[in-house]
Amino acid sequence: MGNERVVVIVGGGYAGVLCANRLRSSLGPDEMTRTRIVLVTLTSTFVERIRLHEVAAGSRADAGIAMSGLVHPDVELQLGRAVRVDAHRHLVDVETDGSVTAMPYDRLVYAVGSGPDRSVPGVAEFALGIADAAEATAAHRAIVSAGAGARVVVVGGGFTGVETASEVAEQNPDASVTLLSSGALLGSMRPAAQRSIRRRLTTIGVSVRENCRVEQVTATGAVLDTGEEVPFDVCLWTASFSVPELARTSGLSVDGAGRLLVDEHLQSIDSPDIIGAGDAVRLPDSVGAHVRMGCAMALPLGGAAAHTVLSTLRGETPPVVSVGFLFQCISLGRTHGYIQVVRADDSPRPLALGGRFAALVKEAICRMTVNRTRKEQLTPGAYWSPRGPQRRQVPHPAPQWHGDVRIR
Ligand SMILES: Cc1cc2nc3c(=O)[nH]c(=O)nc-3n(C[C@H](O)[C@H](O)[C@H](O)COP(=O)(O)OP(=O)(O)OC[C@H]3O[C@@H](n4cnc5c(N)ncnc54)[C@H](O)[C@@H]3O)c2cc1C
């Protein structure tokens, strides 16, 4: 078809799948016949990454959902790994079973997400991450084979570390679980929230150590900046996320962490036909200084990327992205949780929920991420999210990316 446009979405995670569905459901009847949407995904399974601590702890067997039930049937699934983007020729090389195919695109959505960060010495060899499904499963096997009384050290005092330590302690009451945090536990939260969560961790037997930075991991222990070695049978590394190198190795502009630099419309600053969404993307400070890596941002950014693709295909000016927060939600095992109500810029409001009710709310939110994404197949906007904080007036006309890198 001469007039056909091809939109290739790279990455079948939260941002990529929501983008695919919203784009499909937003097309008019004539546009539908002329637009091919191709989702490049490593497997035909969508991984609910926000449940991987449950897999590691043994509360659930796996976190996979068949793509076929989640993605609109008209979206073509291309199994494989994107290995290079050629922005000049509008081609993306996709490797499948050892052979590489150059796929042409009119618009490319870059949504490759994040994974474990293994930059600290010894982490790759002696620790297990829980940022991808294979590692979460391996972590569970390691805890089981360490047997009763296993010493499990969880490194990382952010949301993911706290969720992991609680879940492991609750599901494995014989284990001795230690949580190591380089700064204060959940340093971005209000002191009242920190106290409440610390209390819950203590109740379920997690020993929390704050202000101790792990500088190395060996076969037997996590070595702190003081030289002390905290011994373990299993070390779970949740301290930070890293992003794929695809943008950097393709010669696209990235930040220090390797995230694709985009403008206020989510368009790559090198090529407006490349549109970014999710953890692997860095928004300019004017609209994204508050954004942290997280599903809570990946989903709305996936939706916003769909709007930008659609506007540019229609020859219209794409909207300025505006994504905001509503809650910070933490599960503390299956029966407790903590929900902090926040402003759009992620700063806490003096309103929070704890205990069993918060666990139910968190579970409902986890389900909603999947159900709403599925609903986007037919209803654009089924996944609702608040608008972002008021756009920051940056004194320079050019976009800036100086804000801190924020991780969930
Ligand atoms: C244990 C745990 C709990 C979490 N809990 C929460 C939570 O409660 N709330 C929250 O907001 N966030 C949470 N997060 C963070 C959240 O999971 C991520 O921020 C989110 O998955 C990012 O979505 P994404 O679409 O950007 O990337 P991803 O979900 O990582 O998806 C990216 C996809 O792209 C694929 N991919 C990568 N490279 C390529 C390539 N070259 N070619 C093709 N495909 C590629 C990947 O395999 C993956 O499928 C949690 C994370 C973990 C690990």
Side-chain angles (χ1 to χ4, degrees):
M1 200 186 305
N3 218 356
E4 184 181 78
R5 297 94 51 97
V6 182
V7 180
V8 176
I9 299 170
V10 181
Y14 293 95
V17 170
L18 193 111
C19 179
N21 281 346
R22 183 167 298 178
L23 183 57
R24 175 59 183 70
S25 58
S26 302
L27 295 171
D30 177 48
E31 290 170 321
M32 274 178 206
T33 58
R34 290 190 293 121
T35 311
R36 269 180 71 205
I37 306 172
V38 183
L39 178 63
V40 178
T41 168
L42 299 187
T43 70
S44 53
T45 304
F46 171 84
V47 177
E48 277 190 273
R49 282 185 67 202
I50 63 173
R51 293 194 184 272
L52 287 179
H53 56 293
E54 300 173 42
V55 174
S59 352
R60 63 164 49 222
D62 77 84
I65 297 177
M67 284 278 187
S68 53
L70 195 59
V71 180
H72 193 285
D74 286 353
V75 172
E76 298 169 34
L77 295 186
Q78 171 65 54
L79 294 190
R81 177 183 295 278
V83 289
R84 186 162 176 272
V85 179
D86 182 337
H88 297 294
R89 295 167 63 211
H90 281 58
L91 292 173
V92 52
D93 288 344
V94 177
E95 186 177 343
T96 311
D97 297 332
S99 62
V100 175
T101 311
M103 293 178 59
Y105 66 81
D106 294 287
R107 301 291 180 277
L108 181 125
V109 177
Y110 187 83
V112 292
S114 61
D117 176 7
R118 302 189 176 95
S119 54
V120 169
V123 169
E125 296 87 343
F126 305 117
L128 291 160
I130 56 155
D132 71 37
E135 278 204 304
T137 304
H140 178 56
R141 288 208 192 101
I143 294 169
V144 170
S145 58
R151 295 164 302 172
V152 180
V153 165
V154 178
V155 184
F159 295 159
T160 308
V162 167
E163 290 193 325
T164 303
S166 329
E167 198 88 23
V168 170
E170 190 187 76
Q171 297 297 321
N172 304 272
D174 293 337
S176 133
V177 181
T178 303
L179 177 58
L180 303 178
S181 176
S182 61
L185 190 75
L186 299 168
S188 63
M189 296 194 84
R190 292 183 310 137
Q194 293 172 333
R195 281 195 298 276
S196 163
I197 292 168
R198 257 192 230 110
R199 266 199 308 277
R200 177 65 195 160
L201 288 167
T202 307
T203 306
I204 54 177
V206 177
S207 141
V208 179
R209 293 187 57 179
E210 296 175 81
N211 303 310
C212 52
R213 178 171 293 280
V214 175
E215 297 210 317
Q216 190 187 350
V217 180
T218 68
T220 51
V223 183
L224 307 183
D225 46 4
T226 56
E228 182 194 352
E229 183 167 313
V230 182
F232 60 71
D233 299 303
V234 180
C235 178
L236 302 181
W237 191 266
T238 72
S240 100
F241 292 157
S242 68
V243 299
E245 288 286 306
L246 179 60
R248 195 198 301 272
T249 54
S250 299
L252 298 166
S253 298
V254 294
D255 71 358
R259 294 182 297 171
L260 180 76
L261 290 185
V262 295
D263 65 14
E264 294 187 340
H265 313 286
L266 298 179
Q267 290 168 295
S268 156
I269 60 168
D270 307 301
S271 169
D273 293 336
I274 298 178
I275 292 118
D279 282 1
V281 165
R282 180 76 185 270
L283 275 64
D285 296 347
S286 54
V287 292
H290 63 296
V291 168
R292 57 180 152 83
M293 290 191 195
C295 155
M297 283 288 112
L299 286 166
L301 287 173
H307 292 299
T308 292
V309 169
L310 200 59
S311 305
T312 62
L313 288 176
R314 289 174 177 167
E316 297 164 0
T317 305
V320 170
V321 65
S322 180
V323 286
F325 290 96
L326 203 52
F327 306 117
Q328 293 168 350
C329 319
I330 307 179
S331 63
L332 300 167
R334 291 299 81 208
T335 57
H336 279 67
Y338 197 89
I339 309 288
Q340 173 69 62
V341 183
V342 296
R343 299 182 185 85
D345 68 359
D346 206 25
S347 61
R349 291 182 190 276
L351 187 61
L353 289 176
R356 284 176 191 277
F357 185 58
L360 292 176
V361 175
K362 166 88 203 218
E363 177 57 27
I365 289 172
C366 289
R367 288 180 191 198
M368 190 195 70
T369 60
V370 172
N371 295 339
R372 295 284 151 171
T373 299
R374 189 178 282 122
K375 243 185 146 182
E376 288 265 351
Q377 290 179 50
L378 298 176
T379 315
Y383 179 86
W384 176 86
S385 71
R387 291 183 62 75
Q390 214 179 2
R391 198 164 154 203
R392 265 214 232 164
Q393 292 308 321
V394 181
H396 309 280
Q400 308 263 302
W401 295 270
H402 292 151
D404 289 340
V405 174
R406 302 185 73 233
I407 298 173
R408 176 183 192 261

